[in-house]
mmCIF file of all heavy atoms in Angstrom:
data_model
loop_
_atom_site.group_PDB
_atom_site.id
_atom_site.type_symbol
_atom_site.label_atom_id
_atom_site.label_comp_id
_atom_site.label_asym_id
_atom_site.label_seq_id
_atom_site.Cartn_x
_atom_site.Cartn_y
_atom_site.Cartn_z
ATOM 1 N N PRO R 10 -135.279 120.551 155.094
ATOM 2 C CA PRO R 10 -135.026 120.367 153.668
ATOM 3 C C PRO R 10 -133.816 121.186 153.222
ATOM 4 O O PRO R 10 -133.429 122.145 153.905
ATOM 5 C CB PRO R 10 -136.301 120.890 153.010
ATOM 6 C CG PRO R 10 -136.806 121.926 153.963
ATOM 7 C CD PRO R 10 -136.431 121.428 155.329
ATOM 8 N N PRO R 11 -133.214 120.857 152.075
ATOM 9 C CA PRO R 11 -132.004 121.558 151.628
ATOM 10 C C PRO R 11 -132.263 122.958 151.083
ATOM 11 O O PRO R 11 -131.318 123.701 150.840
ATOM 12 C CB PRO R 11 -131.440 120.640 150.537
ATOM 13 C CG PRO R 11 -132.604 119.850 150.064
ATOM 14 C CD PRO R 11 -133.543 119.709 151.231
ATOM 15 N N ARG R 12 -133.531 123.337 150.875
ATOM 16 C CA ARG R 12 -133.863 124.688 150.407
ATOM 17 C C ARG R 12 -135.242 125.061 150.942
ATOM 18 O O ARG R 12 -136.034 124.186 151.252
ATOM 19 C CB ARG R 12 -133.835 124.776 148.878
ATOM 20 C CG ARG R 12 -134.884 123.988 148.182
ATOM 21 C CD ARG R 12 -134.691 123.935 146.678
ATOM 22 N NE ARG R 12 -133.421 123.411 146.262
ATOM 23 C CZ ARG R 12 -133.128 122.115 146.149
ATOM 24 N NH1 ARG R 12 -134.045 121.215 146.440
ATOM 25 N NH2 ARG R 12 -131.950 121.716 145.767
ATOM 26 N N VAL R 13 -135.511 126.372 151.026
ATOM 27 C CA VAL R 13 -136.796 126.854 151.533
ATOM 28 C C VAL R 13 -137.474 127.659 150.439
ATOM 29 O O VAL R 13 -136.902 128.611 149.919
ATOM 30 C CB VAL R 13 -136.602 127.737 152.797
ATOM 31 C CG1 VAL R 13 -137.924 128.328 153.245
ATOM 32 C CG2 VAL R 13 -135.972 126.940 153.909
ATOM 33 N N MET R 14 -138.682 127.229 150.080
ATOM 34 C CA MET R 14 -139.496 127.930 149.095
ATOM 35 C C MET R 14 -140.773 128.394 149.803
ATOM 36 O O MET R 14 -141.625 127.564 150.129
ATOM 37 C CB MET R 14 -139.847 127.007 147.933
ATOM 38 C CG MET R 14 -138.650 126.360 147.273
ATOM 39 S SD MET R 14 -137.636 127.542 146.417
ATOM 40 C CE MET R 14 -138.118 127.242 144.767
ATOM 41 N N PHE R 15 -140.880 129.685 150.049
ATOM 42 C CA PHE R 15 -142.050 130.203 150.757
ATOM 43 C C PHE R 15 -143.269 130.322 149.844
ATOM 44 O O PHE R 15 -144.395 130.325 150.314
ATOM 45 C CB PHE R 15 -141.741 131.569 151.375
ATOM 46 C CG PHE R 15 -141.059 131.488 152.706
ATOM 47 C CD1 PHE R 15 -139.707 131.724 152.818
ATOM 48 C CD2 PHE R 15 -141.769 131.173 153.849
ATOM 49 C CE1 PHE R 15 -139.076 131.653 154.050
ATOM 50 C CE2 PHE R 15 -141.150 131.107 155.080
ATOM 51 C CZ PHE R 15 -139.794 131.343 155.176
ATOM 52 N N GLY R 16 -143.067 130.468 148.553
ATOM 53 C CA GLY R 16 -144.192 130.641 147.633
ATOM 54 C C GLY R 16 -144.600 132.103 147.556
ATOM 55 O O GLY R 16 -143.782 133.007 147.699
ATOM 56 N N VAL R 17 -145.894 132.372 147.357
ATOM 57 C CA VAL R 17 -146.404 133.736 147.248
ATOM 58 C C VAL R 17 -146.834 134.214 148.628
ATOM 59 O O VAL R 17 -147.623 133.560 149.304
ATOM 60 C CB VAL R 17 -147.586 133.805 146.255
ATOM 61 C CG1 VAL R 17 -148.113 135.223 146.166
ATOM 62 C CG2 VAL R 17 -147.149 133.316 144.888
ATOM 63 N N LEU R 18 -146.288 135.365 149.047
ATOM 64 C CA LEU R 18 -146.556 135.918 150.374
ATOM 65 C C LEU R 18 -147.269 137.258 150.251
ATOM 66 O O LEU R 18 -147.062 137.994 149.291
ATOM 67 C CB LEU R 18 -145.246 136.112 151.145
ATOM 68 C CG LEU R 18 -144.296 134.920 151.205
ATOM 69 C CD1 LEU R 18 -143.041 135.304 151.960
ATOM 70 C CD2 LEU R 18 -144.966 133.734 151.846
ATOM 71 N N LYS R 19 -148.074 137.579 151.249
ATOM 72 C CA LYS R 19 -148.777 138.866 151.289
ATOM 73 C C LYS R 19 -147.866 139.907 151.930
ATOM 74 O O LYS R 19 -147.267 139.660 152.990
ATOM 75 C CB LYS R 19 -150.063 138.719 152.096
ATOM 76 C CG LYS R 19 -150.880 139.980 152.177
ATOM 77 C CD LYS R 19 -152.130 139.746 152.996
ATOM 78 C CE LYS R 19 -152.873 141.051 153.169
ATOM 79 N NZ LYS R 19 -154.022 140.894 154.056
ATOM 80 N N GLU R 20 -147.767 141.061 151.306
ATOM 81 C CA GLU R 20 -146.906 142.128 151.813
ATOM 82 C C GLU R 20 -147.371 142.587 153.200
ATOM 83 O O GLU R 20 -148.552 142.725 153.463
ATOM 84 C CB GLU R 20 -146.919 143.315 150.849
ATOM 85 C CG GLU R 20 -145.986 144.423 151.272
ATOM 86 C CD GLU R 20 -146.015 145.603 150.300
ATOM 87 O OE1 GLU R 20 -146.878 145.637 149.418
ATOM 88 O OE2 GLU R 20 -145.166 146.488 150.468
ATOM 89 N N GLY R 21 -146.398 142.770 154.108
ATOM 90 C CA GLY R 21 -146.698 143.245 155.456
ATOM 91 C C GLY R 21 -146.922 142.134 156.464
ATOM 92 O O GLY R 21 -147.143 142.401 157.642
ATOM 93 N N CYS R 22 -146.877 140.878 156.048
ATOM 94 C CA CYS R 22 -147.094 139.744 156.957
ATOM 95 C C CYS R 22 -145.764 139.041 157.255
ATOM 96 O O CYS R 22 -144.810 139.150 156.491
ATOM 97 C CB CYS R 22 -148.074 138.744 156.357
ATOM 98 S SG CYS R 22 -149.725 139.411 156.131
ATOM 99 N N THR R 23 -145.740 138.328 158.372
ATOM 100 C CA THR R 23 -144.556 137.567 158.771
ATOM 101 C C THR R 23 -144.855 136.084 158.638
ATOM 102 O O THR R 23 -145.904 135.612 159.071
ATOM 103 C CB THR R 23 -144.168 137.895 160.225
ATOM 104 O OG1 THR R 23 -143.926 139.295 160.320
ATOM 105 C CG2 THR R 23 -142.921 137.146 160.642
ATOM 106 N N TYR R 24 -143.917 135.356 158.059
ATOM 107 C CA TYR R 24 -144.058 133.915 157.847
ATOM 108 C C TYR R 24 -142.848 133.205 158.458
ATOM 109 O O TYR R 24 -141.740 133.733 158.427
ATOM 110 C CB TYR R 24 -144.144 133.591 156.353
ATOM 111 C CG TYR R 24 -145.326 134.234 155.678
ATOM 112 C CD1 TYR R 24 -145.243 135.535 155.188
ATOM 113 C CD2 TYR R 24 -146.519 133.549 155.540
ATOM 114 C CE1 TYR R 24 -146.334 136.136 154.570
ATOM 115 C CE2 TYR R 24 -147.616 134.139 154.919
ATOM 116 C CZ TYR R 24 -147.513 135.438 154.441
ATOM 117 O OH TYR R 24 -148.593 136.019 153.837
ATOM 118 N N VAL R 25 -143.079 132.013 159.004
ATOM 119 C CA VAL R 25 -142.015 131.256 159.661
ATOM 120 C C VAL R 25 -142.065 129.804 159.187
ATOM 121 O O VAL R 25 -143.145 129.231 159.034
ATOM 122 C CB VAL R 25 -142.169 131.288 161.204
ATOM 123 C CG1 VAL R 25 -141.082 130.461 161.876
ATOM 124 C CG2 VAL R 25 -142.141 132.700 161.719
ATOM 125 N N THR R 26 -140.891 129.224 158.965
ATOM 126 C CA THR R 26 -140.780 127.803 158.682
ATOM 127 C C THR R 26 -139.574 127.257 159.436
ATOM 128 O O THR R 26 -138.706 128.022 159.856
ATOM 129 C CB THR R 26 -140.666 127.519 157.169
ATOM 130 O OG1 THR R 26 -140.781 126.116 156.952
ATOM 131 C CG2 THR R 26 -139.339 128.002 156.614
ATOM 132 N N THR R 27 -139.528 125.948 159.623
ATOM 133 C CA THR R 27 -138.456 125.311 160.379
ATOM 134 C C THR R 27 -137.606 124.447 159.463
ATOM 135 O O THR R 27 -138.130 123.709 158.636
ATOM 136 C CB THR R 27 -139.043 124.443 161.512
ATOM 137 O OG1 THR R 27 -139.849 125.275 162.347
ATOM 138 C CG2 THR R 27 -137.954 123.821 162.346
ATOM 139 N N VAL R 28 -136.287 124.563 159.625
ATOM 140 C CA VAL R 28 -135.325 123.738 158.917
ATOM 141 C C VAL R 28 -134.531 122.979 159.968
ATOM 142 O O VAL R 28 -134.171 123.532 161.009
ATOM 143 C CB VAL R 28 -134.384 124.598 158.044
ATOM 144 C CG1 VAL R 28 -133.291 123.755 157.407
ATOM 145 C CG2 VAL R 28 -135.172 125.324 156.976
ATOM 146 N N ILE R 29 -134.257 121.701 159.721
ATOM 147 C CA ILE R 29 -133.500 120.878 160.667
ATOM 148 C C ILE R 29 -132.061 120.790 160.205
ATOM 149 O O ILE R 29 -131.783 120.508 159.035
ATOM 150 C CB ILE R 29 -134.130 119.474 160.773
ATOM 151 C CG1 ILE R 29 -135.514 119.587 161.397
ATOM 152 C CG2 ILE R 29 -133.237 118.535 161.567
ATOM 153 C CD1 ILE R 29 -136.295 118.302 161.405
ATOM 154 N N LEU R 30 -131.137 121.057 161.120
ATOM 155 C CA LEU R 30 -129.705 120.915 160.874
ATOM 156 C C LEU R 30 -129.250 119.698 161.663
ATOM 157 O O LEU R 30 -129.217 119.733 162.893
ATOM 158 C CB LEU R 30 -128.963 122.175 161.329
ATOM 159 C CG LEU R 30 -127.482 122.228 161.047
ATOM 160 C CD1 LEU R 30 -127.212 122.292 159.549
ATOM 161 C CD2 LEU R 30 -126.861 123.434 161.726
ATOM 162 N N LYS R 31 -128.946 118.610 160.959
ATOM 163 C CA LYS R 31 -128.630 117.339 161.612
ATOM 164 C C LYS R 31 -127.137 117.054 161.514
ATOM 165 O O LYS R 31 -126.547 117.143 160.444
ATOM 166 C CB LYS R 31 -129.419 116.203 160.964
ATOM 167 C CG LYS R 31 -129.213 114.874 161.639
ATOM 168 C CD LYS R 31 -130.171 113.833 161.144
ATOM 169 C CE LYS R 31 -129.992 112.571 161.951
ATOM 170 N NZ LYS R 31 -130.978 111.574 161.637
ATOM 171 N N ASN R 32 -126.527 116.666 162.640
ATOM 172 C CA ASN R 32 -125.119 116.284 162.676
ATOM 173 C C ASN R 32 -125.018 114.826 162.237
ATOM 174 O O ASN R 32 -125.439 113.923 162.951
ATOM 175 C CB ASN R 32 -124.553 116.468 164.086
ATOM 176 C CG ASN R 32 -123.071 116.172 164.160
ATOM 177 O OD1 ASN R 32 -122.458 115.734 163.199
ATOM 178 N ND2 ASN R 32 -122.490 116.414 165.316
ATOM 179 N N VAL R 33 -124.458 114.589 161.069
ATOM 180 C CA VAL R 33 -124.334 113.236 160.532
ATOM 181 C C VAL R 33 -122.937 112.668 160.736
ATOM 182 O O VAL R 33 -122.620 111.599 160.218
ATOM 183 C CB VAL R 33 -124.713 113.191 159.033
ATOM 184 C CG1 VAL R 33 -126.179 113.499 158.853
ATOM 185 C CG2 VAL R 33 -123.848 114.138 158.230
ATOM 186 N N GLY R 34 -122.109 113.370 161.494
ATOM 187 C CA GLY R 34 -120.761 112.891 161.763
ATOM 188 C C GLY R 34 -120.704 112.003 162.991
ATOM 189 O O GLY R 34 -121.727 111.637 163.576
ATOM 190 N N VAL R 35 -119.484 111.635 163.392
ATOM 191 C CA VAL R 35 -119.285 110.785 164.563
ATOM 192 C C VAL R 35 -118.783 111.589 165.759
ATOM 193 O O VAL R 35 -118.617 111.045 166.840
ATOM 194 C CB VAL R 35 -118.300 109.631 164.262
ATOM 195 C CG1 VAL R 35 -118.892 108.696 163.238
ATOM 196 C CG2 VAL R 35 -116.965 110.163 163.797
ATOM 197 N N ASN R 36 -118.529 112.873 165.588
ATOM 198 C CA ASN R 36 -118.061 113.742 166.669
ATOM 199 C C ASN R 36 -119.080 114.851 166.895
ATOM 200 O O ASN R 36 -119.881 115.151 166.017
ATOM 201 C CB ASN R 36 -116.725 114.392 166.303
ATOM 202 C CG ASN R 36 -115.658 113.381 165.987
ATOM 203 O OD1 ASN R 36 -115.560 112.354 166.646
ATOM 204 N ND2 ASN R 36 -114.878 113.656 164.962
ATOM 205 N N PHE R 37 -119.005 115.485 168.068
ATOM 206 C CA PHE R 37 -119.845 116.655 168.256
ATOM 207 C C PHE R 37 -119.257 117.776 167.411
ATOM 208 O O PHE R 37 -118.061 117.835 167.170
ATOM 209 C CB PHE R 37 -119.962 117.041 169.735
ATOM 210 C CG PHE R 37 -118.701 117.556 170.358
ATOM 211 C CD1 PHE R 37 -118.363 118.895 170.266
ATOM 212 C CD2 PHE R 37 -117.841 116.702 171.030
ATOM 213 C CE1 PHE R 37 -117.205 119.378 170.836
ATOM 214 C CE2 PHE R 37 -116.679 117.181 171.602
ATOM 215 C CZ PHE R 37 -116.363 118.511 171.506
ATOM 216 N N SER R 38 -120.122 118.646 166.919
ATOM 217 C CA SER R 38 -119.686 119.745 166.063
ATOM 218 C C SER R 38 -120.414 121.019 166.450
ATOM 219 O O SER R 38 -121.501 120.982 167.009
ATOM 220 C CB SER R 38 -119.977 119.435 164.592
ATOM 221 O OG SER R 38 -119.208 118.357 164.155
ATOM 222 N N ARG R 39 -119.800 122.118 166.114
ATOM 223 C CA ARG R 39 -120.383 123.438 166.381
ATOM 224 C C ARG R 39 -120.726 124.103 165.055
ATOM 225 O O ARG R 39 -120.168 123.776 164.018
ATOM 226 C CB ARG R 39 -119.398 124.315 167.144
ATOM 227 C CG ARG R 39 -119.063 123.774 168.507
ATOM 228 C CD ARG R 39 -118.064 124.697 169.210
ATOM 229 N NE ARG R 39 -117.633 124.125 170.463
ATOM 230 C CZ ARG R 39 -118.293 124.243 171.602
ATOM 231 N NH1 ARG R 39 -119.396 124.936 171.643
ATOM 232 N NH2 ARG R 39 -117.841 123.685 172.701
#
């Protein structure tokens, strides 16, 4: 998604989410 909203988190804990970076061009890119 274009933004990440974690919401309400508990202090001292670790949270992870995944974002996809998609190449929409016609060439390979870095």
Side-chain angles (χ1 to χ4, degrees):
R12 67 189 57 83
V13 175
M14 306 292 257
F15 276 103
V17 179
L18 309 178
K19 181 180 175 185
E20 183 180 10
C22 296
T23 302
Y24 299 86
V25 178
T26 189
T27 302
V28 174
I29 294 173
L30 184 66
K31 184 170 185 173
N32 184 355
V33 294
V35 295
N36 303 320
F37 68 86
S38 294
R39 297 180 186 276

